[in-house]
Amino acid sequence: MRCVVLIIAALLAAAHVAAAWTYSASILAKAAVPALSIANARGQGYSPCTCTFNPAFIPAGPGLNASINIVRVSGCPESFGGAGDHLMYAFCDNAAGTCGDLQPFVFPFEKTAEDPRVFIYDGYYYLYYFAAGPGQNTVFLRRTKTPLAVDSWELVAANLPWHRNGCVMLQPDGTHYVLFGESPPLPGLGIATTQDFATYKYVNLTYMKPLGPNNTAEPEIVIEAGSTPVQLSTGDYFHLYAAGTPGWVANGNYTGGWIVIDGKDPSRILQRSATHLFVPTMDYEIGNGIYPVQRNRTIFTTAVVPLGGRADNGGQVFRVWYGAADANVASAIIVVTATAD
């Protein structure tokens, strides 16, 4: 009898190991207007800065009474930090996909601080961002327990050689994974491990490469790490990345694809989108009408946040916060579905 039990247990374990999923993602809705823009009316997500984009969402929690987006801004009046790139914030509602007006507080980081990415760990809010440095050593990391105290962000790491972005996958064993970079100029998006977020061990410097201009479904001449990966109910991670298509050379076309990363071994990519999920279709993404534009037809998906509940097809529902036309903050609702193979 004991042998039978052991055999059944072994078969169940093997079946668990062999279990696999095929993923799909779709956009349910894009907001009719940006969440934050100089084109918005005061009191309805107004920013006095010509360009307000690439948000990093932080939910309310200890030391933060209301959720915010930290955003990259430029072309601001002096009372909002002046002309150059810097980071500010607005209070935002993830359920509604809306923001209040930009707040008049500048994070006093390095000059040209931009493109924030946030994660929360062990009571701290961590923030990766780009700032000018030697060569590709342009990624910085700070942390705080009180995000709105702009002077409280202590430096954890400086001049990381990643060119742009740090997108963290926290692991229960304390060895965490970070997806980073833009390719080119880097040979690919890289992935590293860290236990203290100050030092890193590189696992694969060509973890993901552009598919090339001749790929019919997803032509890519440059890719960039996008959103902080979000863990799905299957245990795997969903990541939105940015891709410059051949049109980007002429008119600034950036779109967004996705990958699913193995939850048990984040050094493995399980699936890559067959076509890009985010393509500019709205006036505020294209740069039409009343909306400001720094780069036409551009989307940078920078934050994916669970909305809870399930779609009609059983998929998980998320709010995506993103930069549009390098000048507006926008949001959309997506569904990610896992189908057992």
Side-chain angles (χ1 to χ4, degrees):
M1 183 66 178
R2 183 172 180 272
C3 290
V4 172
V5 171
L6 289 173
I7 290 169
I8 293 171
L11 289 171
L12 288 172
H16 176 74
V17 170
W21 305 90
T22 297
Y23 293 93
S24 62
S26 59
I27 296 175
L28 279 185
K30 289 181 178 179
V33 297
L36 200 58
S37 174
I38 196 171
N40 289 354
R42 293 180 184 274
Q44 298 178 34
Y46 170 74
S47 168
C49 303
T50 304
C51 299
T52 307
F53 58 116
N54 293 5
F57 184 82
I58 308 181
L64 183 63
N65 291 331
S67 58
I68 63 170
N69 267 308
I70 297 178
V71 295
R72 174 182 172 181
V73 296
S74 63
C76 306
E78 288 301 319
S79 58
F80 278 72
D85 281 301
H86 52 284
L87 299 178
M88 301 184 75
Y89 71 88
F91 294 103
C92 299
D93 184 333
N94 191 60
T98 57
C99 294
D101 293 352
L102 187 71
Q103 297 297 298
F105 302 103
V106 176
F107 292 96
F109 301 161
E110 295 75 12
K111 288 184 178 180
T112 71
E114 57 189 58
D115 294 346
R117 303 292 189 275
V118 169
F119 69 98
I120 303 168
Y121 178 68
D122 198 24
Y124 282 93
Y125 300 88
Y126 284 82
L127 175 67
Y128 284 106
Y129 60 95
F130 169 97
Q136 308 304 329
N137 301 326
T138 51
V139 175
F140 293 71
L141 177 65
R142 291 179 181 268
R143 71 175 188 175
T144 184
K145 291 188 174 182
T146 52
L148 299 188
V150 294
D151 293 321
S152 69
W153 291 83
E154 61 186 17
L155 190 65
V156 177
N159 299 118
L160 294 167
W162 301 349
H163 184 62
R164 284 188 184 272
N165 308 329
C167 304
V168 169
M169 289 163 278
L170 296 170
Q171 300 296 295
D173 66 359
T175 299
H176 312 294
Y177 284 79
V178 187
L179 176 63
F180 61 86
E182 180 179 11
S183 175
L186 301 184
L189 302 190
I191 191 164
T193 58
T194 182
Q195 294 182 333
D196 59 8
F197 303 107
T199 56
Y200 298 84
K201 179 180 178 181
Y202 295 104
V203 177
N204 187 348
L205 295 178
T206 54
Y207 183 69
M208 184 177 172
K209 292 183 176 183
L211 294 174
N214 298 322
N215 185 288
T216 342
E218 287 189 311
E220 299 170 350
I221 58 172
V222 58
I223 58 173
E224 186 173 332
S227 61
T228 297
V230 62
Q231 195 159 28
L232 302 171
S233 59
T234 60
D236 296 328
Y237 293 93
F238 180 81
H239 172 75
L240 286 166
Y241 69 93
T245 71
W248 170 79
V249 173
N251 58 28
N253 189 325
Y254 253 96
T255 58
W258 55 267
I259 57 173
V260 173
I261 298 167
D262 191 337
K264 296 184 177 65
D265 178 10
S267 68
R268 297 177 60 234
I269 296 174
L270 297 178
Q271 189 177 333
R272 187 169 180 170
S273 56
T275 57
H276 289 162
L277 177 62
F278 276 86
V279 176
T281 56
M282 309 296 287
D283 282 349
Y284 56 77
E285 299 169 338
I286 296 168
N288 285 343
I290 64 172
Y291 298 106
V293 57
Q294 184 173 196
R295 180 182 285 165
N296 288 305
R297 299 200 301 134
T298 289
I299 290 174
F300 275 98
T301 48
T302 49
V304 179
V305 188
L307 277 172
R310 295 277 178 167
D312 291 343
N313 67 354
Q316 290 180 259
V317 185
F318 299 92
R319 170 80 58 192
V320 178
W321 296 93
Y322 62 98
D326 272 5
N328 309 281
V329 170
S331 81
I333 298 173
I334 68 167
V335 176
V336 180
T337 304
T339 304
D341 290 343

